[in-house]
Amino acid sequence: GAVVSQHPSRVICKSGTSVKIECRSLDFQATTMFWYRQFPKQSLMLMATSNEGSKATYEQGVEKDKFLINHASLTLSTLTVTSAHPEDSSFYICSARSLGQGALRETQYFGPGTRLLVL
Amino acid sequence: KNEVEQSPQNLTAQEGEFITINCSYSVGISALHWLQQHPGGGIVSLFMLSSGKKKHGRLIATINIQEKHSSLHITASHPRDSAVYICAVRIIKTAGNKLTFGGGTRVLVKP
């Protein structure tokens, strides 16, 4: 079953508003979560690495003031797209790294994604 | 040149056929993942490999570290196997355990 959830699964917002996307690890504690962006028919692009209790590490070209990441607990990371514009419309995916605790194997588990449309 | 290359980019098969997807990489890695992304967008981690071979149901993944090559095989393919299959590697000495992704292989299995 799914071990990483994302909320919402789909969101439509007006240009200029902010949108928050949540990523939760359901069955394990994730010290590291990753946020990806995917455009149609393209592969995933890593935006940032989110570490619990510390500042996120952003990839080159990703504006940290535009894409705010908070990883306040071992099971929750949030991505806030601030002052969204139509070009921010995309599919946002999070993943959480499991260290192989209990029945879970060591791997990255991916969330189902959030489709953002900015009008 | 991308660090991770997949082939083919697109593949169409008839139900029941044996499918092979290839992944080549040009860097030293500590692990290789095979991921499946369905049309709805959700991604499932199929395998994580660092050596040898793994099997799960009709799926088999192999990796040759010396040749920097991995293959994903689907036996007795079924229309529900239609998806994009993505190879991703964890490059040695990459900070933060980041994955580097191949471009994906779009698989369509016709009934």
Side-chain angles (χ1 to χ4, degrees):
Chain A
V3 295
V4 175
S5 70
Q6 275 185 246
H7 179 80
S9 59
R10 184 181 296 265
V11 57
I12 301 172
C13 69
K14 291 183 178 179
S15 186
T17 60
S18 295
V19 174
K20 180 186 283 188
I21 303 169
E22 293 185 349
C23 177
R24 293 182 186 272
S25 58
L26 302 180
D27 301 316
F28 63 99
Q29 294 181 332
T31 55
T32 304
M33 289 184 173
F34 304 89
W35 285 98
Y36 300 91
R37 182 174 181 174
Q38 185 180 37
F39 291 106
K41 298 197 175 182
Q42 294 188 22
S43 194
L44 285 75
M45 182 193 80
L46 179 66
M47 298 174 67
T49 302
S50 167
N51 296 298
E52 186 267 338
S54 64
K55 290 183 179 180
T57 303
Y58 289 81
E59 294 300 298
Q60 194 171 13
V62 178
E63 299 175 58
K64 62 180 181 182
D65 295 328
K66 171 91 176 150
F67 299 99
L68 299 178
I69 291 173
N70 184 283
H71 192 159
S73 78
L74 288 172
T75 59
L76 174 64
S77 176
T78 60
L79 168 68
T80 301
V81 183
T82 62
S83 186
H85 288 152
E87 56 264 32
D88 298 325
S89 299
S90 188
F91 190 58
Y92 292 87
I93 304 171
C94 74
S95 74
R97 184 164 173 255
S98 164
L99 299 179
Q101 302 147 330
L104 295 179
R105 56 196 171 100
E106 181 187 347
T107 190
Q108 278 195 31
Y109 291 94
F110 288 80
T114 296
R115 200 163 297 280
L116 170 64
L117 177 61
V118 184
L119 302 177
Chain B
K1 191 179 189 310
N2 293 336
E3 291 170 316
V4 183
E5 296 276 358
Q6 283 186 239
S7 64
Q9 288 186 321
N10 296 282
L11 185 158
T12 300
Q14 287 297 130
E15 183 173 357
E17 287 184 345
F18 182 85
I19 291 172
T20 295
I21 302 167
N22 297 297
C23 176
S24 296
Y25 50 93
S26 56
V27 293
I29 68 169
S30 58
L32 181 144
H33 294 251
W34 280 104
L35 311 171
Q36 180 192 54
Q37 185 172 31
H38 278 284
I43 291 177
V44 174
S45 177
L46 299 174
F47 296 103
M48 186 182 78
L49 296 161
S50 54
S51 64
K53 175 180 174 179
K54 287 189 177 180
K55 184 176 188 292
H56 186 257
R58 294 180 293 105
L59 302 177
I60 303 167
T62 64
I63 187 168
N64 185 316
I65 297 295
Q66 287 74 28
E67 294 186 4
K68 292 187 167 58
H69 181 269
S70 176
S71 293
L72 176 68
H73 306 285
I74 306 174
T75 61
S77 60
H78 190 276
R80 65 175 174 266
D81 297 325
S82 298
V84 176
Y85 293 84
I86 302 169
C87 169
V89 302
R90 188 178 306 147
I91 299 173
I92 290 174
K93 297 181 184 177
T94 300
N97 295 296
K98 297 186 296 186
L99 292 179
T100 300
F101 296 86
T105 296
R106 193 171 298 271
V107 172
L108 174 64
V109 181
K110 294 183 176 180

